[in-house]
Amino acid sequence: MKKFNVFVLACLLFGLIAAPSLFAANVTLTIWGRDIPDDSADHLYVRDLIAGFQAKYPDIKIDYVALGDPGLMDKTKITMASGSGLPDIFQTWGGSVMGGYADAGNLFDLTAELKSVPGSLAAQQAMTWKGKIYGVAPFFAVAGIFANEGIFKTYNLKVPTTIEEFDKVCDTLLSKGVQPFACGEKDKWPALALYMYLTNRYGGDASAQASARKLAYNSDPFIKAAQLYQNWIKKGYFGATPLGEGYGDAQQLMATGKAAMHITGSWMCAQYSNPEFTDQTLGFYAFPTFKSGGVGTAADIMGMTDIGFAATKVAASKKDAVVKFMKYAMSVEACQSDPGRICSVPGVKAKSSLTAQASAVFASAKTVTFWWDQDLPPSVTSPLNDTIQSFFLPEADVKKALTSFEALCIENMGPVKK
Amino acid sequence: MAKVVPADTVRLAAKKRVPRREPGRTLFIFFCILPALLFLAVFLYYPIVETFRISQMKTSGLSDEVFVGLDNYRKLFADEEFLAGLRHVFSWAFWSIVIQLPLSFFIAFGLTYYSNRMSNTLRAIFYLANILPSAITAMLGKMVFAPNYGILVTIGKVLGWKWLASADFLGNPKFAFWSVFIIATWAYSGFYIIYFMARMEQIPRDLREAAELDGASALRYAWSIVLPDLNYAIRICAVLCTVGSLKLFDLPYLMTTGGPGYATSTLGISLYRHGFINWNYGKAAAIGVVIFILSLVFTILQFTFGKRKDE
């Protein structure tokens, strides 16, 4: 009896020690993301993505690390530079930043596995570098005009359908004590979307030509767009203190009905349609074109990945698990919990009318220009935002500012090829 | 009668008194300091040497390094952001010494000279700002100076002062530097106050009583007795001000991200942006070297200058 008891105890002990390892996940995927997977509306996709994937594939353990912003970008950059301590997957907007990592040989080519995953072409292009696909972009963002429908109705105005109409609409709004545009330029990047649109409307694919060094950044379309921008700033269309307000302040101006329009990315759809955030009714509109003399069309859209994931070279040994994750990230099941982003996966319905309007703008796009500050070489992106911020200084000479920027581009991207 | 001893005998005796070098003892001392030496070598001296090396390279951190000699330094002195940062850290250091140190001295003197039940509470209140994390200090600073909802703007609205109600302290290049500096003065002075107070409390009570008997006023006592006694402490604080200004990053970055334009940019912000945003490690390392050399030069200068005065 005594021997039997000892045997039973030994079995129990073995079971206690061995059981966890027997039932443990076979593979662990380390993922670096931006958002904490909590109940906040903005984070629902990431929360459900991890929980859903874990439930569907219990043999693959997810080790998700939320690094915030700019923590994610800084840590990824440092790790990529050293080449060690890389995660298997990291969140990225794609473009030239991801391309830099790919050029350094730190990313894992998943072209064969991901090229047939259903999704928008623009989203796939954002995660493609030099013909190779390194990840997926389940959500895409486009820039457009968030307009306060109530304000426009009260003052019997219509959201401009041509750029020429902006002056009339903005002057009327100003005379009624309403700030025409919310911006938040203290943070330096928020003014970019409008400048990109104006440049496109003046010069069509001028930005693509400039990045290919076929056109200078101080050429006509860039200067004209900057001059018009500065003219609007001087007229007070962006309020009296545009450089003192951050992006959060701009959102508050819209949420409280103090500003009539906000030209920004569709990632704001969830917040602007959340009754707890604002009691105003907003609409999303495509950026207009010039009635005469312009080149760009309304189907030329500015935007880029909203949420994307790319795989690093260390994921090569876990290829199956990584591909499963990427495909799951692009599934209707994973994407449907997001309340406001434009989903690049077919079959996911927009949760709000704002998202539906933004999705329609995205669907109408014939060309999508990626955010310059994500798509140009990193050596010129922060000076680009500095240059655009300088338009907000009334005494600034935009021509001179763009010429300085062009000089920097020559140094980092080469001279314009005739 | 005094005994006369030959000089050679004295020299020999002195020689005998010198302890013999023991190899075991030397080895023991060496092993005792070895961990600290290794730590310093790996985490301090090696990075400094490496920074000097990288500052002569053109590299994004991801690409191969290309030797460019002093080209990064040459480019720095044509870089608007770097030059603005350099100007700002010198201004910051100058105004810190001219404003923060005298202010701290007078507060510390007031709290020590007119010491009463409130002194300890006031000391804690003044020091509180210094122990707050920079993020909180910056947030409070924004609350004071923000347009639309900031405390100053709200006061302007309440009083009907249009110029104050519409002021853009953080967004106007003319005001932004000073707005950040005011918050920094509030945040950093607490440390100097505590430091000065600690030194003032060590001045013998007799000196003050003697001065009072001679009819010296509080100001006279501060000028003639306290200030000379705090000479070394003030010099230390001036060095801390200067070196701190050269490394300045957190408050300006959190309050204005160095803007508008480069109105509040510093060498630290410039280094961060070149290294982590613009992916230009070589240039960032060159800025690091400039900060290192300037810190070293100013520290040596301030101590040498102070020493001569003492002598």
Side-chain angles (χ1 to χ4, degrees), chain B residues 91-104:
Chain B
S91 303
W92 192 281
F94 176 76
W95 292 113
S96 297
I97 292 170
V98 171
I99 295 174
Q100 284 176 12
L101 293 189
L103 187 74
S104 305

Side-chain angles (χ1 to χ4, degrees), chain B residues 15 27 35 65 85 193-194 201 270 275 304:
Chain B
K15 219 173 187 182
L27 208 64
E65 293 173 350
I193 291 170
I194 294 290
E201 280 163 0
S270 187
T304 314

Side-chain angles (χ1 to χ4, degrees), chain A residues 57-139:
Chain A
Y57 300 102
D59 56 330
I60 303 170
K61 192 189 165 209
I62 298 281
D63 181 12
Y64 178 81
V65 186
L67 294 163
D69 201 5
L72 173 68
M73 287 191 280
D74 288 351
K75 192 170 167 68
T76 309
K77 168 82 204 316
I78 293 165
T79 320
M80 291 282 178
S82 72
S84 60
L86 293 166
D88 298 299
I89 294 166
F90 66 103
Q91 202 175 326
T92 172
W93 289 314
S96 68
V97 175
M98 185 193 77
Y101 302 148
D103 286 342
N106 283 328
L107 299 193
F108 181 40
D109 178 12
L110 290 168
T111 312
E113 291 75 17
L114 300 180
K115 69 178 173 195
S116 55
V117 172
S120 76
L121 189 64
Q124 194 183 68
Q125 275 172 356
M127 305 308 291
T128 303
W129 185 255
K130 294 181 181 170
K132 290 178 181 171
I133 302 172
Y134 293 100
V136 292
F139 293 97

Side-chain angles (χ1 to χ4, degrees), chain B residues 6 71 79 83 85 92 158 172 188 210 236 248-249 258 266 269-270 294:
Chain B
D71 201 42
D79 184 320
L83 293 175
W92 192 281
V158 170
N172 187 328
Y188 301 154
I236 294 276
L248 189 68
F249 177 81
T266 66
I269 292 175
S270 187
L294 286 175

Side-chain angles (χ1 to χ4, degrees), chain A residues 70 74 77-78 80-82 96-98 100-101 104 106 186-188 240-245 249 253 378-383 386 389-390 393 395 404 408 411-412, chain B residues 58 60-63 75 80-81 142 146-149 166-168 170-173 253-262 272-273 275-281 283:
Chain A
D74 288 351
K77 168 82 204 316
I78 293 165
M80 291 282 178
S82 72
S96 68
V97 175
M98 185 193 77
Y101 302 148
N106 283 328
K186 193 178 83 169
D187 293 338
K188 296 197 173 183
T241 57
L243 289 174
E245 293 153 7
D249 300 317
L253 286 171
S379 51
V380 302
T381 53
S382 95
D386 292 339
Q389 196 193 45
S390 75
L393 302 170
E395 69 278 10
S404 297
L408 188 78
E411 188 189 322
N412 290 280
Chain B
K58 185 178 168 70
S60 70
L62 294 166
S63 56
K75 280 178 185 165
E80 205 185 326
E81 185 182 2
K142 278 193 201 176
N148 303 322
Y149 62 86
S166 60
D168 187 3
L170 297 175
N172 187 328
Y253 191 78
L254 291 168
M255 283 182 72
T256 59
T257 49
Y262 301 129
Y272 171 76
R273 280 154 58 91
F276 291 90
I277 299 175
N278 300 355
W279 292 25
N280 197 334
Y281 269 124
K283 228 171 169 181

